[in-house]
Amino acid sequence: MDLLWTDFLNSDWHDWRGSGRREDRLDKPAWLAEFLTGWKLGAPMPPDPAETATLKQLRTLLRRMAEALAAGTALAPADLQELNEVLAGGPVVRQVAITAPGYRLDLVPLRQDWPQVRAEIAASLAGTLVEGEGARVRICENPDCCWVFYDDTRNRAKRFCDEKLCGNLMKVRRFRARRRAAAGQATEP
């Protein structure tokens, strides 16, 4: 399950296969445009260098918070204060809309700019915290990946961001390590 804040946070991409390659997708206007479109957010493209630096600061804050949540530790009050400051940058108006089963309350942004985008990202993390789901935040156990994800499994035991990619790769690595260890023991006198 992708969340706005995890999708943004994972813009610091690492090659999960172990090549050591890394890519900062916040420096790629095409990725940012796709991100905004995919999450139905608006902001002038491309962001200026100061705005890009501010986005990277937010990503660093979210990473720190995700690591604390994944470790089961309390969030630092200074981090919560910083998150609240980002949230204050995105004013919204409440609006009632008619839906098939009844009504829903929408939060409509007053602006379409980068502070509003940052506030929406921060609100996504805040929603995870408020709903008591912070314990479901995980960091992929593939040391080459570092992907942050939301564990939506019933038993909360998901260890890899993707079982077919990282999970499979780690199983193969463990299997090969066991074979090497067994072959090493068989040749010893």
Side-chain angles (χ1 to χ4, degrees), residues 4-5 62 83 86-87 107 117-130:
L4 172 58
W5 73 272
L62 296 180
L83 187 71
V86 174
L87 286 167
L107 300 176
V117 168
R118 288 193 314 271
E120 291 299 323
I121 293 166
S124 176
L125 172 61
T128 301
L129 296 173
V130 169

Side-chain angles (χ1 to χ4, degrees), residues 2 8 12-13 29-31 68 77 107 116 123 138-139 142 172 185 189:
D2 273 341
F8 173 76
D12 183 15
W13 180 84
W31 184 89
L107 300 176
Q116 182 67 44
R138 303 274 188 275
I139 298 174
N142 175 355
V172 168
Q185 289 175 350

Side-chain angles (χ1 to χ4, degrees), residues 4 10 35 43 47 55 59 63-64 123 140-143 148 162:
L4 172 58
N10 291 327
F35 173 79
L55 288 167
R59 186 176 62 196
R63 181 70 190 198
R64 231 182 6 253
C140 184
E141 288 188 16
N142 175 355
V148 173
D162 187 314

Side-chain angles (χ1 to χ4, degrees), residues 34 80 91 135 165:
E34 188 177 313
L80 287 173
L165 299 176

Side-chain angles (χ1 to χ4, degrees), residues 101-149:
Y103 301 94
R104 89 170 171 258
L105 183 63
D106 290 335
L107 300 176
V108 180
L110 291 179
R111 314 184 302 253
Q112 291 207 341
D113 58 7
W114 287 106
Q116 182 67 44
V117 168
R118 288 193 314 271
E120 291 299 323
I121 293 166
S124 176
L125 172 61
T128 301
L129 296 173
V130 169
E131 292 167 9
E133 299 297 320
R136 289 184 175 266
V137 174
R138 303 274 188 275
I139 298 174
C140 184
E141 288 188 16
N142 175 355
D144 296 316
C145 179
C146 304
W147 206 260
V148 173
F149 64 94

